[in-house]
């Protein structure tokens, strides 16, 4: 009998959105709707499971944890890339890692939800209206403003094209971006510092790596207009969190829309929870029913394929 653990299902939808009953008889599936950050407690919880599904990077699997999971044979990640899994250690331990497909548009849509929320002061006006106050702020229009897109891949290109639909000027930068590729996404390639200095909204769509970790720090934030906003739906560590908090507090920039953080879930005492000029969401970029149907549906396929000796969507170090 195989035991399967599904981690970090905060919404409690895993069993509803996929046919887990189709797995071979005797397969036991257990869902965990809470998050354990303590590695000792996590190792104790997962010690008896043969198969584990990690929902994106919510729960890291470093070597130290993998070494404490002697029964683990299959580790599934939602998506086809997971920087929080030590792939080399998994391979050395004989743990097969498999992935799932995903969707290209939900995170781009959320980036625009954050941009519009900041521009039109939607969270503050919603709160004020509920409290009996009426029209407490003056919003910004997007038409004619400048959007800067850091990273013009699948997600960044979608964000750029929506910017053009709002009749914004769209600037783009990434380390290997060409003018031709930028033009194909209705954007103009500029230097990173130029993008930061000219943009009214800067939206980050880069993969976290050693090249991008801390890419936006105090110097970069200082280049931005005091009226500008930073949006991060990629990964928290791309932005120096301490520098961003200072910039938000002293008015170096007007505000930020953040879906990702250095530590997730965001600690209850984190200063971001108290800053009035930011909109924060709990890493919702990919959290749509359509995405989850793919994540969990493919996870069922991964488990079934592994148990029948023909694994699919195998990831390698």
């Amino acid at each position: 009998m195989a035991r399967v653990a599904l981690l970090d299902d905060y919404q409690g939808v895993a069993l509803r959105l996929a046919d887990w009953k189709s797995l071979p008889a005797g397969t036991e599936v257990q869902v965990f709707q809470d998050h354990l950050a303590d590695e000792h407690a996590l190792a104790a919880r997962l010690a008896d499971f043969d198969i584990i599904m990690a929902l994106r990077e919510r729960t890291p699997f470093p070597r130290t944890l993998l070494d404490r999971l002697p029964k683990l044979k299959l580790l599934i990640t939602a998506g086809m890339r997971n920087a929080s899994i030590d792939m080399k250690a998994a391979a050395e331990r004989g743990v097969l890692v498999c992935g799932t497909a995903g969707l290209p548009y939900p995170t781009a849509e959320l980036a625009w939800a954050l941009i519009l929320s900041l521009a039109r002061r939607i969270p503050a006006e919603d709160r004020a209206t509920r409290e009996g106050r009426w029209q407490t702020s003056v919003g910004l229009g997007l038409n004619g403003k400048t959007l800067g897109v850091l990273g013009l891949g699948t997600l960044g290109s979608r964000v750029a094209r929506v910017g053009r639909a709002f009749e914004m000027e769209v600037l783009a930068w990434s380390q290997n971006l060409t003018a031709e590729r930028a033009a194909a996404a209705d954007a103009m390639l500029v230097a990173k510092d130029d993008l930061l200095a000219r943009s009214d909204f800067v939206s980050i769509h880069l993969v976290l790596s050693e090249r991008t970790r801390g890419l936006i720090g105090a110097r970069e934030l200082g280049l931005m207009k005091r009226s500008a906003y930073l949006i991060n739906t990629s990964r928290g560590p791309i932005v120096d969190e301490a520098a961003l908090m200072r910039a938000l507090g002293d008015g170096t920039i007007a505000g930020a829309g953040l879906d990702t953080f250095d530590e997730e879930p965001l600690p209850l005492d984190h200063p971001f929870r108290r800053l009035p000029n930011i909109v924060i969401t709990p890493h919702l970029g990919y959290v749509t029913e359509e995405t989850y149907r793919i994540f969990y549906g493919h996870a069922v396929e991964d488990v079934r394929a592994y148990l029948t000796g023909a694994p699919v969507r195998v990831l390698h170090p």
Side-chain angles (χ1 to χ4, degrees):
M1 181 183 76
R3 298 193 67 205
V4 182
L6 308 180
L7 304 186
D8 297 306
D9 177 22
Y10 299 144
Q11 296 86 4
V13 297
L15 297 182
R16 176 173 66 85
L17 295 181
D19 186 11
W20 297 95
K21 293 180 180 180
S22 68
L23 293 175
T27 305
E28 177 187 337
V29 179
Q30 186 168 351
V31 179
F32 295 98
Q33 292 180 243
D34 61 331
H35 175 79
L36 284 183
D38 181 80
E39 188 173 299
H40 297 288
L42 187 62
R45 168 178 283 184
L46 300 178
D48 290 329
F49 286 93
D50 313 277
I51 300 169
I52 298 171
M53 180 185 179
L55 198 57
R56 303 297 296 133
E57 289 97 352
R58 290 178 179 177
T59 295
F61 281 83
R63 180 181 296 272
T64 51
L65 176 58
L66 292 168
D67 285 344
R68 300 173 66 177
L69 301 176
K71 294 186 178 180
L72 181 62
K73 297 296 183 290
L74 173 64
L75 178 58
I76 300 169
T77 175
M80 292 299 288
R81 180 194 296 122
N82 191 325
S84 71
I85 294 175
D86 188 329
M87 297 292 293
K88 182 179 179 182
E92 292 173 358
R93 284 270 296 103
V95 176
L96 188 70
V97 182
C98 294
T100 76
L103 290 172
Y105 57 82
T107 300
E109 293 176 350
L110 184 72
W112 276 104
L114 292 173
I115 292 171
L116 289 165
S117 293
L118 290 163
R120 300 306 296 268
R121 316 288 197 266
I122 291 173
E125 290 295 350
D126 173 84
R127 185 166 55 252
T129 304
R130 293 172 187 274
E131 294 171 354
R133 292 172 287 136
W134 193 255
Q135 294 189 4
T136 64
S137 64
V138 177
L140 294 173
L142 299 181
N143 189 294
K145 298 296 192 302
T146 299
L147 171 68
V149 182
L150 295 176
L152 205 63
T154 301
L155 295 175
S157 295
R158 286 178 176 271
V159 170
R161 284 192 287 269
V162 174
R164 293 294 297 167
F166 277 112
E167 299 183 42
M168 302 178 77
E169 179 184 21
V170 181
L171 309 178
W173 175 89
S174 67
Q175 287 162 323
N176 298 314
L177 182 64
T178 65
E180 292 75 20
R181 285 174 50 209
D186 286 333
M188 180 171 65
L189 173 64
V190 297
K192 182 181 69 174
D193 286 1
D194 191 25
L195 180 149
L196 293 169
R198 292 170 55 184
S199 297
D200 299 294
F201 296 87
V202 175
S203 192
I204 300 172
H205 301 282
L206 296 163
V207 174
L208 178 62
S209 67
E210 289 312 305
R211 292 197 306 176
T212 61
R213 187 179 297 273
L215 183 74
I216 304 298
R219 188 191 76 84
E220 289 75 21
L221 292 165
L223 294 173
M224 294 174 65
K225 302 176 184 178
R226 294 181 71 84
S227 59
Y229 295 87
L230 180 71
I231 294 88
N232 188 6
T233 56
S234 292
R235 291 295 181 271
I238 293 173
V239 180
D240 182 326
E241 199 166 87
L244 178 58
M245 284 187 282
R246 289 193 297 271
L248 292 166
D250 65 18
T252 297
I253 63 173
L258 306 174
D259 187 47
T260 57
F261 310 91
D262 284 0
E263 182 180 350
E264 297 179 2
L266 192 66
L268 293 177
D269 60 350
H270 198 288
F272 279 156
R273 293 179 181 269
R274 301 188 296 275
L275 288 171
N277 54 342
I278 64 172
V279 177
I280 54 175
T281 50
H283 207 147
L284 293 179
Y286 57 84
V287 182
T288 66
E289 182 163 332
E290 295 85 355
T291 302
Y292 274 25
R293 285 190 183 279
I294 294 172
F295 281 176
Y296 291 122
H298 282 189
V300 170
E301 293 176 6
D302 288 351
V303 173
R304 186 187 302 113
Y306 169 77
L307 293 176
T308 56
V312 295
R313 291 184 284 269
V314 177
L315 305 179
H316 300 283

